[in-house]
Amino acid sequence: MMNSSGDEAIDGAVTLGLLAAWALHDLEELATVPGWWRRNLPALRERYPGVPEAVWRRAGSVDGREFAVAVGAMAAVVASASVAGRLTGGRSATYQTALNAFGLHGLVHLAQAGLVRGYTPGAATSPLIVIPFTLWARSRLRRAGVLRATRPRDLALGLGFAGAATVAAHTVARRLTKA
């Protein structure tokens, strides 16, 4: 698909590529999250005593099945945003917000690894897939003239989108697996 000025095509690699990059990233999380929490929760509780006990209980209660269902629910969100991007040649606000959220969440993974001074789930693929894909896709959208200007509120919106989608995915997963 060409934009109106004909500068550059926005193809499936840019839009549907978000879903592919997300899937590769979440394979790492699927493989590591449940075991990582079991091994690290006691040390994290000790290192960060100011975190409310309810947060630690909730984190420790997520088993592999519930986490896998949450990943599936998130897949629906990312797939919808990717398709919206594809159908609009990358112009979709939902797609661009999801793309920003994906890149910002990669930075959050790196910050988490810094806070625990070691590996955290998602930290390996964030610098290898998440952040590079986001920067590449944004550059393609920019060259095609369809990238919306990014203001600080857009970054907050992206983080909020990621946070809300994560909470919703885990809520759905908890209800489906505890029923």
Side-chain angles (χ1 to χ4, degrees), residues 18-56:
L18 172 61
L19 179 59
W22 173 86
L24 290 171
H25 171 69
D26 267 43
L27 284 173
E28 175 194 1
E29 291 183 341
L30 279 169
T32 60
V33 164
W36 187 90
W37 272 115
R38 276 192 306 279
R39 289 187 306 278
N40 291 280
L41 191 57
L44 291 171
R45 270 189 166 119
E46 188 176 309
R47 186 181 297 164
Y48 300 105
V51 173
E53 184 57 31
V55 172
W56 296 128

PDB file of all heavy atoms in Angstrom, residues 18-56:
ATOM      1  N   LEU A  18       4.200  -6.321  13.849  1.00  0.00           N
ATOM      2  CA  LEU A  18       4.032  -6.073  15.290  1.00  0.00           C
ATOM      3  C   LEU A  18       3.582  -7.351  15.985  1.00  0.00           C
ATOM      4  O   LEU A  18       4.130  -7.726  17.027  1.00  0.00           O
ATOM      5  CB  LEU A  18       3.013  -4.943  15.524  1.00  0.00           C
ATOM      6  CG  LEU A  18       2.603  -4.708  16.975  1.00  0.00           C
ATOM      7  CD1 LEU A  18       3.801  -4.321  17.838  1.00  0.00           C
ATOM      8  CD2 LEU A  18       1.519  -3.625  17.038  1.00  0.00           C
ATOM      9  N   LEU A  19       2.622  -8.043  15.402  1.00  0.00           N
ATOM     10  CA  LEU A  19       2.152  -9.300  15.994  1.00  0.00           C
ATOM     11  C   LEU A  19       3.259 -10.347  16.000  1.00  0.00           C
ATOM     12  O   LEU A  19       3.445 -11.060  16.990  1.00  0.00           O
ATOM     13  CB  LEU A  19       0.921  -9.815  15.249  1.00  0.00           C
ATOM     14  CG  LEU A  19       0.337 -11.140  15.757  1.00  0.00           C
ATOM     15  CD1 LEU A  19      -0.078 -11.043  17.219  1.00  0.00           C
ATOM     16  CD2 LEU A  19      -0.850 -11.550  14.881  1.00  0.00           C
ATOM     17  N   ALA A  20       4.020 -10.436  14.918  1.00  0.00           N
ATOM     18  CA  ALA A  20       5.114 -11.421  14.849  1.00  0.00           C
ATOM     19  C   ALA A  20       6.194 -11.117  15.889  1.00  0.00           C
ATOM     20  O   ALA A  20       6.662 -12.022  16.593  1.00  0.00           O
ATOM     21  CB  ALA A  20       5.711 -11.437  13.443  1.00  0.00           C
ATOM     22  N   ALA A  21       6.588  -9.863  16.000  1.00  0.00           N
ATOM     23  CA  ALA A  21       7.617  -9.480  16.985  1.00  0.00           C
ATOM     24  C   ALA A  21       7.101  -9.728  18.400  1.00  0.00           C
ATOM     25  O   ALA A  21       7.832 -10.239  19.266  1.00  0.00           O
ATOM     26  CB  ALA A  21       8.004  -8.013  16.800  1.00  0.00           C
ATOM     27  N   TRP A  22       5.842  -9.390  18.632  1.00  0.00           N
ATOM     28  CA  TRP A  22       5.248  -9.627  19.947  1.00  0.00           C
ATOM     29  C   TRP A  22       5.256 -11.130  20.273  1.00  0.00           C
ATOM     30  O   TRP A  22       5.580 -11.524  21.391  1.00  0.00           O
ATOM     31  CB  TRP A  22       3.820  -9.076  19.986  1.00  0.00           C
ATOM     32  CG  TRP A  22       3.115  -9.436  21.247  1.00  0.00           C
ATOM     33  CD1 TRP A  22       3.146  -8.764  22.437  1.00  0.00           C
ATOM     34  CD2 TRP A  22       2.321 -10.601  21.468  1.00  0.00           C
ATOM     35  NE1 TRP A  22       2.412  -9.450  23.374  1.00  0.00           N
ATOM     36  CE2 TRP A  22       1.895 -10.570  22.799  1.00  0.00           C
ATOM     37  CE3 TRP A  22       1.926 -11.660  20.653  1.00  0.00           C
ATOM     38  CZ2 TRP A  22       1.088 -11.565  23.349  1.00  0.00           C
ATOM     39  CZ3 TRP A  22       1.129 -12.648  21.197  1.00  0.00           C
ATOM     40  CH2 TRP A  22       0.716 -12.589  22.530  1.00  0.00           C
ATOM     41  N   ALA A  23       4.888 -11.963  19.291  1.00  0.00           N
ATOM     42  CA  ALA A  23       4.834 -13.407  19.529  1.00  0.00           C
ATOM     43  C   ALA A  23       6.210 -13.960  19.886  1.00  0.00           C
ATOM     44  O   ALA A  23       6.337 -14.769  20.815  1.00  0.00           O
ATOM     45  CB  ALA A  23       4.274 -14.116  18.298  1.00  0.00           C
ATOM     46  N   LEU A  24       7.243 -13.527  19.173  1.00  0.00           N
ATOM     47  CA  LEU A  24       8.603 -13.986  19.504  1.00  0.00           C
ATOM     48  C   LEU A  24       8.988 -13.566  20.915  1.00  0.00           C
ATOM     49  O   LEU A  24       9.561 -14.340  21.679  1.00  0.00           O
ATOM     50  CB  LEU A  24       9.604 -13.438  18.491  1.00  0.00           C
ATOM     51  CG  LEU A  24       9.512 -14.025  17.091  1.00  0.00           C
ATOM     52  CD1 LEU A  24      10.403 -13.238  16.131  1.00  0.00           C
ATOM     53  CD2 LEU A  24       9.874 -15.499  17.102  1.00  0.00           C
ATOM     54  N   HIS A  25       8.666 -12.340  21.262  1.00  0.00           N
ATOM     55  CA  HIS A  25       8.966 -11.830  22.605  1.00  0.00           C
ATOM     56  C   HIS A  25       8.200 -12.623  23.667  1.00  0.00           C
ATOM     57  O   HIS A  25       8.767 -13.016  24.693  1.00  0.00           O
ATOM     58  CB  HIS A  25       8.616 -10.338  22.671  1.00  0.00           C
ATOM     59  CG  HIS A  25       8.678  -9.753  24.024  1.00  0.00           C
ATOM     60  ND1 HIS A  25       9.860  -9.567  24.708  1.00  0.00           N
ATOM     61  CD2 HIS A  25       7.699  -9.297  24.836  1.00  0.00           C
ATOM     62  CE1 HIS A  25       9.603  -9.027  25.883  1.00  0.00           C
ATOM     63  NE2 HIS A  25       8.302  -8.849  25.980  1.00  0.00           N
ATOM     64  N   ASP A  26       6.923 -12.868  23.413  1.00  0.00           N
ATOM     65  CA  ASP A  26       6.136 -13.556  24.419  1.00  0.00           C
ATOM     66  C   ASP A  26       6.470 -15.042  24.534  1.00  0.00           C
ATOM     67  O   ASP A  26       6.191 -15.645  25.567  1.00  0.00           O
ATOM     68  CB  ASP A  26       4.641 -13.314  24.202  1.00  0.00           C
ATOM     69  CG  ASP A  26       4.193 -12.116  25.025  1.00  0.00           C
ATOM     70  OD1 ASP A  26       4.930 -11.107  25.053  1.00  0.00           O
ATOM     71  OD2 ASP A  26       3.126 -12.185  25.663  1.00  0.00           O
ATOM     72  N   LEU A  27       7.091 -15.622  23.517  1.00  0.00           N
ATOM     73  CA  LEU A  27       7.595 -16.991  23.676  1.00  0.00           C
ATOM     74  C   LEU A  27       8.638 -17.038  24.791  1.00  0.00           C
ATOM     75  O   LEU A  27       8.657 -17.995  25.583  1.00  0.00           O
ATOM     76  CB  LEU A  27       8.185 -17.508  22.364  1.00  0.00           C
ATOM     77  CG  LEU A  27       7.174 -17.912  21.302  1.00  0.00           C
ATOM     78  CD1 LEU A  27       7.888 -18.250  19.994  1.00  0.00           C
ATOM     79  CD2 LEU A  27       6.326 -19.082  21.785  1.00  0.00           C
ATOM     80  N   GLU A  28       9.487 -16.014  24.851  1.00  0.00           N
ATOM     81  CA  GLU A  28      10.459 -15.944  25.950  1.00  0.00           C
ATOM     82  C   GLU A  28       9.734 -15.878  27.286  1.00  0.00           C
ATOM     83  O   GLU A  28      10.094 -16.580  28.240  1.00  0.00           O
ATOM     84  CB  GLU A  28      11.373 -14.722  25.796  1.00  0.00           C
ATOM     85  CG  GLU A  28      12.318 -14.558  26.979  1.00  0.00           C
ATOM     86  CD  GLU A  28      13.004 -13.208  27.061  1.00  0.00           C
ATOM     87  OE1 GLU A  28      12.765 -12.325  26.213  1.00  0.00           O
ATOM     88  OE2 GLU A  28      13.786 -13.035  28.005  1.00  0.00           O
ATOM     89  N   GLU A  29       8.725 -15.039  27.365  1.00  0.00           N
ATOM     90  CA  GLU A  29       7.995 -14.897  28.630  1.00  0.00           C
ATOM     91  C   GLU A  29       7.267 -16.187  28.995  1.00  0.00           C
ATOM     92  O   GLU A  29       7.295 -16.605  30.160  1.00  0.00           O
ATOM     93  CB  GLU A  29       7.023 -13.722  28.538  1.00  0.00           C
ATOM     94  CG  GLU A  29       7.738 -12.388  28.477  1.00  0.00           C
ATOM     95  CD  GLU A  29       6.796 -11.206  28.467  1.00  0.00           C
ATOM     96  OE1 GLU A  29       5.588 -11.384  28.149  1.00  0.00           O
ATOM     97  OE2 GLU A  29       7.258 -10.103  28.779  1.00  0.00           O
ATOM     98  N   LEU A  30       6.633 -16.832  28.028  1.00  0.00           N
ATOM     99  CA  LEU A  30       5.959 -18.101  28.310  1.00  0.00           C
ATOM    100  C   LEU A  30       6.922 -19.144  28.864  1.00  0.00           C
ATOM    101  O   LEU A  30       6.569 -19.908  29.758  1.00  0.00           O
ATOM    102  CB  LEU A  30       5.296 -18.646  27.041  1.00  0.00           C
ATOM    103  CG  LEU A  30       3.952 -18.047  26.680  1.00  0.00           C
ATOM    104  CD1 LEU A  30       3.539 -18.464  25.269  1.00  0.00           C
ATOM    105  CD2 LEU A  30       2.888 -18.447  27.695  1.00  0.00           C
ATOM    106  N   ALA A  31       8.135 -19.152  28.327  1.00  0.00           N
ATOM    107  CA  ALA A  31       9.124 -20.141  28.756  1.00  0.00           C
ATOM    108  C   ALA A  31       9.724 -19.830  30.121  1.00  0.00           C
ATOM    109  O   ALA A  31      10.227 -20.732  30.783  1.00  0.00           O
ATOM    110  CB  ALA A  31      10.240 -20.229  27.713  1.00  0.00           C
ATOM    111  N   THR A  32       9.660 -18.573  30.552  1.00  0.00           N
ATOM    112  CA  THR A  32      10.430 -18.206  31.751  1.00  0.00           C
ATOM    113  C   THR A  32       9.630 -17.679  32.939  1.00  0.00           C
ATOM    114  O   THR A  32      10.092 -17.791  34.069  1.00  0.00           O
ATOM    115  CB  THR A  32      11.487 -17.146  31.396  1.00  0.00           C
ATOM    116  OG1 THR A  32      10.841 -15.983  30.880  1.00  0.00           O
ATOM    117  CG2 THR A  32      12.497 -17.687  30.392  1.00  0.00           C
ATOM    118  N   VAL A  33       8.459 -17.103  32.715  1.00  0.00           N
ATOM    119  CA  VAL A  33       7.771 -16.401  33.806  1.00  0.00           C
ATOM    120  C   VAL A  33       7.456 -17.267  35.022  1.00  0.00           C
ATOM    121  O   VAL A  33       7.855 -16.916  36.139  1.00  0.00           O
ATOM    122  CB  VAL A  33       6.499 -15.669  33.293  1.00  0.00           C
ATOM    123  CG1 VAL A  33       5.570 -15.271  34.427  1.00  0.00           C
ATOM    124  CG2 VAL A  33       6.897 -14.436  32.505  1.00  0.00           C
ATOM    125  N   PRO A  34       6.729 -18.383  34.885  1.00  0.00           N
ATOM    126  CA  PRO A  34       6.348 -19.105  36.112  1.00  0.00           C
ATOM    127  C   PRO A  34       7.553 -19.560  36.951  1.00  0.00           C
ATOM    128  O   PRO A  34       7.578 -19.353  38.165  1.00  0.00           O
ATOM    129  CB  PRO A  34       5.542 -20.297  35.590  1.00  0.00           C
ATOM    130  CG  PRO A  34       4.997 -19.816  34.278  1.00  0.00           C
ATOM    131  CD  PRO A  34       6.110 -18.966  33.701  1.00  0.00           C
ATOM    132  N   GLY A  35       8.552 -20.133  36.327  1.00  0.00           N
ATOM    133  CA  GLY A  35       9.732 -20.582  37.073  1.00  0.00           C
ATOM    134  C   GLY A  35      10.525 -19.432  37.661  1.00  0.00           C
ATOM    135  O   GLY A  35      11.044 -19.528  38.776  1.00  0.00           O
ATOM    136  N   TRP A  36      10.603 -18.332  36.919  1.00  0.00           N
ATOM    137  CA  TRP A  36      11.344 -17.168  37.413  1.00  0.00           C
ATOM    138  C   TRP A  36      10.709 -16.641  38.693  1.00  0.00           C
ATOM    139  O   TRP A  36      11.402 -16.351  39.660  1.00  0.00           O
ATOM    140  CB  TRP A  36      11.395 -16.073  36.339  1.00  0.00           C
ATOM    141  CG  TRP A  36      12.278 -14.933  36.727  1.00  0.00           C
ATOM    142  CD1 TRP A  36      13.611 -14.811  36.470  1.00  0.00           C
ATOM    143  CD2 TRP A  36      11.899 -13.763  37.464  1.00  0.00           C
ATOM    144  NE1 TRP A  36      14.092 -13.633  37.005  1.00  0.00           N
ATOM    145  CE2 TRP A  36      13.053 -12.975  37.613  1.00  0.00           C
ATOM    146  CE3 TRP A  36      10.713 -13.316  38.007  1.00  0.00           C
ATOM    147  CZ2 TRP A  36      13.056 -11.759  38.287  1.00  0.00           C
ATOM    148  CZ3 TRP A  36      10.697 -12.110  38.680  1.00  0.00           C
ATOM    149  CH2 TRP A  36      11.860 -11.342  38.813  1.00  0.00           C
ATOM    150  N   TRP A  37       9.375 -16.531  38.719  1.00  0.00           N
ATOM    151  CA  TRP A  37       8.704 -16.043  39.922  1.00  0.00           C
ATOM    152  C   TRP A  37       8.936 -16.978  41.101  1.00  0.00           C
ATOM    153  O   TRP A  37       9.204 -16.515  42.214  1.00  0.00           O
ATOM    154  CB  TRP A  37       7.200 -15.877  39.681  1.00  0.00           C
ATOM    155  CG  TRP A  37       6.847 -14.540  39.131  1.00  0.00           C
ATOM    156  CD1 TRP A  37       6.325 -14.274  37.902  1.00  0.00           C
ATOM    157  CD2 TRP A  37       7.001 -13.264  39.765  1.00  0.00           C
ATOM    158  NE1 TRP A  37       6.148 -12.912  37.740  1.00  0.00           N
ATOM    159  CE2 TRP A  37       6.558 -12.277  38.876  1.00  0.00           C
ATOM    160  CE3 TRP A  37       7.483 -12.866  41.014  1.00  0.00           C
ATOM    161  CZ2 TRP A  37       6.565 -10.918  39.177  1.00  0.00           C
ATOM    162  CZ3 TRP A  37       7.502 -11.507  41.323  1.00  0.00           C
ATOM    163  CH2 TRP A  37       7.042 -10.556  40.417  1.00  0.00           C
ATOM    164  N   ARG A  38       8.838 -18.281  40.877  1.00  0.00           N
ATOM    165  CA  ARG A  38       9.053 -19.234  41.978  1.00  0.00           C
ATOM    166  C   ARG A  38      10.444 -19.080  42.569  1.00  0.00           C
ATOM    167  O   ARG A  38      10.615 -19.109  43.787  1.00  0.00           O
ATOM    168  CB  ARG A  38       8.861 -20.673  41.482  1.00  0.00           C
ATOM    169  CG  ARG A  38       7.432 -21.138  41.464  1.00  0.00           C
ATOM    170  CD  ARG A  38       7.323 -22.643  41.261  1.00  0.00           C
ATOM    171  NE  ARG A  38       8.019 -23.133  40.074  1.00  0.00           N
ATOM    172  CZ  ARG A  38       7.531 -23.077  38.833  1.00  0.00           C
ATOM    173  NH1 ARG A  38       6.347 -22.550  38.616  1.00  0.00           N
ATOM    174  NH2 ARG A  38       8.209 -23.554  37.822  1.00  0.00           N
ATOM    175  N   ARG A  39      11.446 -18.917  41.707  1.00  0.00           N
ATOM    176  CA  ARG A  39      12.831 -18.810  42.182  1.00  0.00           C
ATOM    177  C   ARG A  39      13.142 -17.460  42.815  1.00  0.00           C
ATOM    178  O   ARG A  39      13.976 -17.378  43.710  1.00  0.00           O
ATOM    179  CB  ARG A  39      13.811 -19.047  41.024  1.00  0.00           C
ATOM    180  CG  ARG A  39      13.878 -20.474  40.544  1.00  0.00           C
ATOM    181  CD  ARG A  39      14.980 -20.685  39.505  1.00  0.00           C
ATOM    182  NE  ARG A  39      14.902 -19.768  38.374  1.00  0.00           N
ATOM    183  CZ  ARG A  39      14.101 -19.928  37.317  1.00  0.00           C
ATOM    184  NH1 ARG A  39      13.284 -20.961  37.258  1.00  0.00           N
ATOM    185  NH2 ARG A  39      14.099 -19.056  36.329  1.00  0.00           N
ATOM    186  N   ASN A  40      12.521 -16.396  42.358  1.00  0.00           N
ATOM    187  CA  ASN A  40      12.931 -15.051  42.756  1.00  0.00           C
ATOM    188  C   ASN A  40      12.011 -14.322  43.718  1.00  0.00           C
ATOM    189  O   ASN A  40      12.412 -13.308  44.294  1.00  0.00           O
ATOM    190  CB  ASN A  40      13.132 -14.192  41.504  1.00  0.00           C
ATOM    191  CG  ASN A  40      14.332 -14.648  40.725  1.00  0.00           C
ATOM    192  OD1 ASN A  40      15.458 -14.334  41.060  1.00  0.00           O
ATOM    193  ND2 ASN A  40      14.098 -15.430  39.677  1.00  0.00           N
ATOM    194  N   LEU A  41      10.813 -14.800  43.902  1.00  0.00           N
ATOM    195  CA  LEU A  41       9.859 -14.092  44.751  1.00  0.00           C
ATOM    196  C   LEU A  41      10.367 -13.869  46.183  1.00  0.00           C
ATOM    197  O   LEU A  41      10.275 -12.741  46.691  1.00  0.00           O
ATOM    198  CB  LEU A  41       8.508 -14.809  44.753  1.00  0.00           C
ATOM    199  CG  LEU A  41       7.349 -14.062  45.387  1.00  0.00           C
ATOM    200  CD1 LEU A  41       7.139 -12.699  44.735  1.00  0.00           C
ATOM    201  CD2 LEU A  41       6.084 -14.891  45.276  1.00  0.00           C
ATOM    202  N   PRO A  42      10.947 -14.877  46.852  1.00  0.00           N
ATOM    203  CA  PRO A  42      11.423 -14.623  48.225  1.00  0.00           C
ATOM    204  C   PRO A  42      12.487 -13.509  48.295  1.00  0.00           C
ATOM    205  O   PRO A  42      12.420 -12.632  49.169  1.00  0.00           O
ATOM    206  CB  PRO A  42      12.011 -15.976  48.665  1.00  0.00           C
ATOM    207  CG  PRO A  42      11.308 -16.984  47.801  1.00  0.00           C
ATOM    208  CD  PRO A  42      11.086 -16.295  46.485  1.00  0.00           C
ATOM    209  N   ALA A  43      13.423 -13.510  47.382  1.00  0.00           N
ATOM    210  CA  ALA A  43      14.471 -12.476  47.395  1.00  0.00           C
ATOM    211  C   ALA A  43      13.896 -11.102  47.065  1.00  0.00           C
ATOM    212  O   ALA A  43      14.319 -10.086  47.637  1.00  0.00           O
ATOM    213  CB  ALA A  43      15.579 -12.840  46.406  1.00  0.00           C
ATOM    214  N   LEU A  44      12.927 -11.040  46.161  1.00  0.00           N
ATOM    215  CA  LEU A  44      12.309  -9.758  45.814  1.00  0.00           C
ATOM    216  C   LEU A  44      11.526  -9.191  46.991  1.00  0.00           C
ATOM    217  O   LEU A  44      11.579  -7.987  47.262  1.00  0.00           O
ATOM    218  CB  LEU A  44      11.395  -9.914  44.594  1.00  0.00           C
ATOM    219  CG  LEU A  44      12.100 -10.186  43.268  1.00  0.00           C
ATOM    220  CD1 LEU A  44      11.087 -10.531  42.189  1.00  0.00           C
ATOM    221  CD2 LEU A  44      12.941  -8.994  42.856  1.00  0.00           C
ATOM    222  N   ARG A  45      10.811 -10.055  47.699  1.00  0.00           N
ATOM    223  CA  ARG A  45      10.074  -9.615  48.895  1.00  0.00           C
ATOM    224  C   ARG A  45      11.036  -8.992  49.908  1.00  0.00           C
ATOM    225  O   ARG A  45      10.726  -7.966  50.508  1.00  0.00           O
ATOM    226  CB  ARG A  45       9.385 -10.807  49.555  1.00  0.00           C
ATOM    227  CG  ARG A  45       8.021 -11.069  49.082  1.00  0.00           C
ATOM    228  CD  ARG A  45       7.387 -12.136  50.004  1.00  0.00           C
ATOM    229  NE  ARG A  45       5.979 -12.188  49.779  1.00  0.00           N
ATOM    230  CZ  ARG A  45       5.339 -13.265  49.360  1.00  0.00           C
ATOM    231  NH1 ARG A  45       5.990 -14.379  49.120  1.00  0.00           N
ATOM    232  NH2 ARG A  45       4.042 -13.228  49.190  1.00  0.00           N
ATOM    233  N   GLU A  46      12.166  -9.639  50.073  1.00  0.00           N
ATOM    234  CA  GLU A  46      13.156  -9.151  51.050  1.00  0.00           C
ATOM    235  C   GLU A  46      13.800  -7.844  50.580  1.00  0.00           C
ATOM    236  O   GLU A  46      13.994  -6.919  51.364  1.00  0.00           O
ATOM    237  CB  GLU A  46      14.229 -10.221  51.254  1.00  0.00           C
ATOM    238  CG  GLU A  46      15.194  -9.907  52.373  1.00  0.00           C
ATOM    239  CD  GLU A  46      16.164 -11.046  52.600  1.00  0.00           C
ATOM    240  OE1 GLU A  46      15.700 -12.196  52.740  1.00  0.00           O
ATOM    241  OE2 GLU A  46      17.390 -10.777  52.635  1.00  0.00           O
ATOM    242  N   ARG A  47      14.133  -7.754  49.300  1.00  0.00           N
ATOM    243  CA  ARG A  47      14.811  -6.571  48.772  1.00  0.00           C
ATOM    244  C   ARG A  47      13.889  -5.357  48.705  1.00  0.00           C
ATOM    245  O   ARG A  47      14.334  -4.226  48.839  1.00  0.00           O
ATOM    246  CB  ARG A  47      15.370  -6.853  47.376  1.00  0.00           C
ATOM    247  CG  ARG A  47      16.214  -5.680  46.866  1.00  0.00           C
ATOM    248  CD  ARG A  47      16.768  -5.877  45.484  1.00  0.00           C
ATOM    249  NE  ARG A  47      17.689  -6.997  45.415  1.00  0.00           N
ATOM    250  CZ  ARG A  47      18.078  -7.568  44.286  1.00  0.00           C
ATOM    251  NH1 ARG A  47      17.627  -7.129  43.125  1.00  0.00           N
ATOM    252  NH2 ARG A  47      18.908  -8.577  44.290  1.00  0.00           N
ATOM    253  N   TYR A  48      12.598  -5.584  48.474  1.00  0.00           N
ATOM    254  CA  TYR A  48      11.644  -4.483  48.308  1.00  0.00           C
ATOM    255  C   TYR A  48      10.506  -4.615  49.332  1.00  0.00           C
ATOM    256  O   TYR A  48       9.356  -4.897  48.978  1.00  0.00           O
ATOM    257  CB  TYR A  48      11.089  -4.463  46.881  1.00  0.00           C
ATOM    258  CG  TYR A  48      12.183  -4.271  45.852  1.00  0.00           C
ATOM    259  CD1 TYR A  48      12.626  -5.331  45.061  1.00  0.00           C
ATOM    260  CD2 TYR A  48      12.795  -3.029  45.692  1.00  0.00           C
ATOM    261  CE1 TYR A  48      13.649  -5.158  44.136  1.00  0.00           C
ATOM    262  CE2 TYR A  48      13.807  -2.851  44.766  1.00  0.00           C
ATOM    263  CZ  TYR A  48      14.230  -3.917  44.001  1.00  0.00           C
ATOM    264  OH  TYR A  48      15.239  -3.747  43.094  1.00  0.00           O
ATOM    265  N   PRO A  49      10.809  -4.383  50.617  1.00  0.00           N
ATOM    266  CA  PRO A  49       9.791  -4.567  51.657  1.00  0.00           C
ATOM    267  C   PRO A  49       8.639  -3.556  51.578  1.00  0.00           C
ATOM    268  O   PRO A  49       7.574  -3.786  52.154  1.00  0.00           O
ATOM    269  CB  PRO A  49      10.581  -4.384  52.955  1.00  0.00           C
ATOM    270  CG  PRO A  49      11.756  -3.550  52.572  1.00  0.00           C
ATOM    271  CD  PRO A  49      12.090  -3.940  51.154  1.00  0.00           C
ATOM    272  N   GLY A  50       8.809  -2.471  50.862  1.00  0.00           N
ATOM    273  CA  GLY A  50       7.753  -1.468  50.742  1.00  0.00           C
ATOM    274  C   GLY A  50       6.632  -1.851  49.791  1.00  0.00           C
ATOM    275  O   GLY A  50       5.583  -1.208  49.770  1.00  0.00           O
ATOM    276  N   VAL A  51       6.856  -2.905  48.999  1.00  0.00           N
ATOM    277  CA  VAL A  51       5.821  -3.348  48.067  1.00  0.00           C
ATOM    278  C   VAL A  51       4.724  -4.044  48.883  1.00  0.00           C
ATOM    279  O   VAL A  51       5.021  -4.913  49.707  1.00  0.00           O
ATOM    280  CB  VAL A  51       6.399  -4.301  46.996  1.00  0.00           C
ATOM    281  CG1 VAL A  51       5.300  -4.898  46.142  1.00  0.00           C
ATOM    282  CG2 VAL A  51       7.426  -3.571  46.149  1.00  0.00           C
ATOM    283  N   PRO A  52       3.464  -3.664  48.670  1.00  0.00           N
ATOM    284  CA  PRO A  52       2.372  -4.288  49.439  1.00  0.00           C
ATOM    285  C   PRO A  52       2.347  -5.810  49.277  1.00  0.00           C
ATOM    286  O   PRO A  52       2.575  -6.338  48.183  1.00  0.00           O
ATOM    287  CB  PRO A  52       1.105  -3.655  48.843  1.00  0.00           C
ATOM    288  CG  PRO A  52       1.572  -2.373  48.220  1.00  0.00           C
ATOM    289  CD  PRO A  52       2.981  -2.638  47.748  1.00  0.00           C
ATOM    290  N   GLU A  53       2.039  -6.491  50.354  1.00  0.00           N
ATOM    291  CA  GLU A  53       1.997  -7.957  50.355  1.00  0.00           C
ATOM    292  C   GLU A  53       1.014  -8.498  49.321  1.00  0.00           C
ATOM    293  O   GLU A  53       1.253  -9.545  48.705  1.00  0.00           O
ATOM    294  CB  GLU A  53       1.641  -8.474  51.749  1.00  0.00           C
ATOM    295  CG  GLU A  53       1.655  -9.981  51.875  1.00  0.00           C
ATOM    296  CD  GLU A  53       2.975 -10.642  51.494  1.00  0.00           C
ATOM    297  OE1 GLU A  53       4.052 -10.035  51.669  1.00  0.00           O
ATOM    298  OE2 GLU A  53       2.931 -11.782  50.992  1.00  0.00           O
ATOM    299  N   ALA A  54      -0.074  -7.775  49.070  1.00  0.00           N
ATOM    300  CA  ALA A  54      -1.061  -8.219  48.073  1.00  0.00           C
ATOM    301  C   ALA A  54      -0.426  -8.337  46.696  1.00  0.00           C
ATOM    302  O   ALA A  54      -0.785  -9.232  45.917  1.00  0.00           O
ATOM    303  CB  ALA A  54      -2.245  -7.256  48.040  1.00  0.00           C
ATOM    304  N   VAL A  55       0.514  -7.465  46.368  1.00  0.00           N
ATOM    305  CA  VAL A  55       1.201  -7.525  45.073  1.00  0.00           C
ATOM    306  C   VAL A  55       2.026  -8.804  44.989  1.00  0.00           C
ATOM    307  O   VAL A  55       1.995  -9.518  43.976  1.00  0.00           O
ATOM    308  CB  VAL A  55       2.078  -6.275  44.859  1.00  0.00           C
ATOM    309  CG1 VAL A  55       2.950  -6.422  43.612  1.00  0.00           C
ATOM    310  CG2 VAL A  55       1.214  -5.026  44.790  1.00  0.00           C
ATOM    311  N   TRP A  56       2.754  -9.113  46.063  1.00  0.00           N
ATOM    312  CA  TRP A  56       3.577 -10.326  46.059  1.00  0.00           C
ATOM    313  C   TRP A  56       2.701 -11.576  45.994  1.00  0.00           C
ATOM    314  O   TRP A  56       3.029 -12.531  45.280  1.00  0.00           O
ATOM    315  CB  TRP A  56       4.467 -10.385  47.299  1.00  0.00           C
ATOM    316  CG  TRP A  56       5.476  -9.283  47.371  1.00  0.00           C
ATOM    317  CD1 TRP A  56       5.679  -8.443  48.425  1.00  0.00           C
ATOM    318  CD2 TRP A  56       6.438  -8.891  46.376  1.00  0.00           C
ATOM    319  NE1 TRP A  56       6.689  -7.546  48.137  1.00  0.00           N
ATOM    320  CE2 TRP A  56       7.172  -7.798  46.887  1.00  0.00           C
ATOM    321  CE3 TRP A  56       6.732  -9.338  45.093  1.00  0.00           C
ATOM    322  CZ2 TRP A  56       8.191  -7.173  46.179  1.00  0.00           C
ATOM    323  CZ3 TRP A  56       7.746  -8.714  44.374  1.00  0.00           C
ATOM    324  CH2 TRP A  56       8.459  -7.651  44.932  1.00  0.00           C
TER     325      TRP A  56
END
